[in-house]
Amino acid sequence: MKTLILIACTVLGSALHAQTTNEYTINLWPNDIPNHVTSSSKEEASNANHILWITHVQTPSIDVYLPTRRIATGAGVLICPGGGYGGLAYDWEGTDIAKWLNAKGIAAFVLKYRLPGDASVKTPNLAPLQDAQRAMRIIKGRMTEFHLEEGKIGVMGFSAGGHLASTLGTQYNREVYPKSDSLDQLSARPDFMALVYPVISMKKDITHEGSQINLLGKDASEKLINQYSNELQVTTDTPPTFLIHATDDGAVPVQNSLLFFDALTKKEVPVEMHLFPKGGHGFAFGYDTKGLSEWTVLCYNWIQALSSSK
């Protein structure tokens, strides 16, 4: 009898866990992946300086991280990890950030997006934006499941992920893939953007060269460079934006954030920017530099103030 009771409890416990888990994965494209060609490329994950480094993404997805219902604020954030469009710093600028947001009552969705240089991608520059638009539409289409509230769904990006996030925020209505289901009828516009040491421009002497080459190729036309220079894509409908950068960033010049700040203010888009004298590039939470980790407090307060004004 004790054995039967133990088995029953185990089965019940497993079932309850399956129904209430706050972490799971959703594939972006349940049917055909747009802009895809068959290749021998395979996804790879490695440890690079104690960071989970993912390359050759074949099945783009979002990893869902939900806060406990008791502290949920109704806000959600799509997170775009960086990696120069050559890889994804998946925990450093992705899942670790998601867990921090969860602790603040904010739902998080880590985007594993296709990388433009992969052999399975037909038109390189389109793939990341296709995945980001689709991810935002999935999140909006499943708001009830994620316990989200209208007007509280934003995007956060780091480095090249910041470029992708700002591309989504400025080019959310650009048709980059054929609509395949009801989710694709939804707007992909984020309600806000939080950009951390972001690549913004693709212009020479401002951009991060590696990101530019990986996304656009070595001989990109001026038209394509301008298309992905997001300081040129700002409109009055661009979402409110939060910017973080270190002025000693040797990889992505601080001018990227300054240019975006200037473009946003000219269009009267609400924007808040914080520049730190030290921190370099790729600092994530910023625990290695005194005072730098305060950006997370500033960002959370900004999201809360923005959400409460809805």
Side-chain angles (χ1 to χ4, degrees):
M1 180 61 73
K2 289 182 179 180
T3 302
L4 290 175
I5 292 173
L6 178 60
I7 292 173
C9 289
T10 301
V11 171
L12 178 60
S14 297
L16 288 173
H17 175 75
Q19 293 173 7
T20 61
T21 181
N22 286 344
E23 298 178 15
Y24 51 99
T25 300
I26 298 174
N27 290 340
L28 299 184
W29 311 99
N31 299 312
D32 295 332
I33 300 175
N35 192 27
H36 175 81
V37 293
T38 302
S39 79
S40 60
S41 185
K42 294 182 179 180
E43 184 173 314
E44 297 179 6
S46 61
N47 186 312
N49 194 26
H50 303 295
I51 295 174
L52 175 60
W53 183 250
I54 295 179
T55 56
H56 303 291
V57 173
Q58 299 301 304
T59 306
S61 62
I62 49 174
D63 278 345
V64 179
Y65 287 79
L66 302 179
T68 57
R69 290 294 305 280
R70 188 158 186 171
I71 66 169
T73 64
V77 174
L78 174 65
I79 303 171
C80 304
Y85 282 123
L88 302 177
Y90 203 69
D91 52 0
W92 185 248
E93 296 171 344
T95 56
D96 286 354
I97 302 298
K99 293 169 186 176
W100 160 65
L101 288 170
N102 276 187
K104 298 296 184 180
I106 300 172
F109 309 86
V110 184
L111 178 61
K112 187 165 68 172
Y113 55 92
R114 287 171 292 162
L115 299 159
D118 192 78
S120 62
V121 172
K122 184 177 180 181
T123 304
N125 67 82
L126 290 180
L129 181 56
Q130 290 171 329
D131 293 345
Q133 283 190 0
R134 177 68 179 182
M136 183 56 70
R137 288 173 171 133
I138 288 173
I139 295 167
K140 287 189 173 185
R142 297 171 67 166
M143 286 176 56
T144 301
E145 174 186 337
F146 303 139
H147 311 297
L148 301 178
E149 297 176 14
E150 194 78 37
K152 292 186 176 184
I153 304 171
V155 64
M156 176 181 288
F158 297 77
S159 192
H163 182 266
L164 177 55
S166 64
T167 305
L168 177 64
T170 56
Q171 303 186 48
Y172 55 86
N173 56 359
R174 182 179 162 203
E175 294 189 12
V176 292
Y177 67 88
K179 293 179 171 59
S180 62
D181 58 24
S182 59
L183 290 175
D184 288 330
Q185 305 304 319
L186 300 175
S187 171
R189 181 185 182 274
D191 296 310
F192 59 86
M193 295 188 287
L195 309 177
V196 187
Y197 43 84
V199 178
I200 294 293
S201 184
M202 287 285 119
K203 292 185 175 294
K204 187 178 179 181
D205 300 325
I206 301 171
T207 191
H208 173 247
E209 186 177 4
S211 296
Q212 185 211 49
I213 291 174
N214 286 334
L215 183 65
L216 306 182
K218 291 184 178 180
D219 301 311
S221 66
E222 183 177 0
K223 181 179 179 181
L224 195 60
I225 288 172
N226 288 340
Q227 175 77 69
Y228 286 95
S229 292
N230 291 324
E231 76 276 16
L232 303 179
Q233 307 303 325
V234 173
T235 71
T236 54
D237 291 325
T238 299
T241 302
F242 181 88
L243 290 160
I244 290 292
H245 223 117
T247 57
D248 68 344
D249 192 326
V252 178
V254 69
Q255 281 77 11
N256 282 269
S257 286
L258 293 171
L259 280 172
F260 205 53
F261 179 87
D262 185 55
L264 291 163
T265 54
K266 285 179 178 177
K267 294 295 184 180
E268 298 184 351
V269 175
V271 56
E272 181 173 322
M273 179 170 65
H274 296 272
L275 303 180
F276 292 84
K278 299 291 183 181
H281 187 71
F283 51 74
F285 283 109
Y287 293 140
D288 293 338
T289 303
K290 185 177 180 180
L292 188 57
S293 63
E294 287 300 304
W295 81 259
T296 58
V297 178
L298 296 167
C299 184
Y300 169 70
N301 289 341
W302 179 80
I303 293 174
Q304 283 294 93
L306 197 66
S307 297
S308 63
S309 67
K310 298 295 181 181

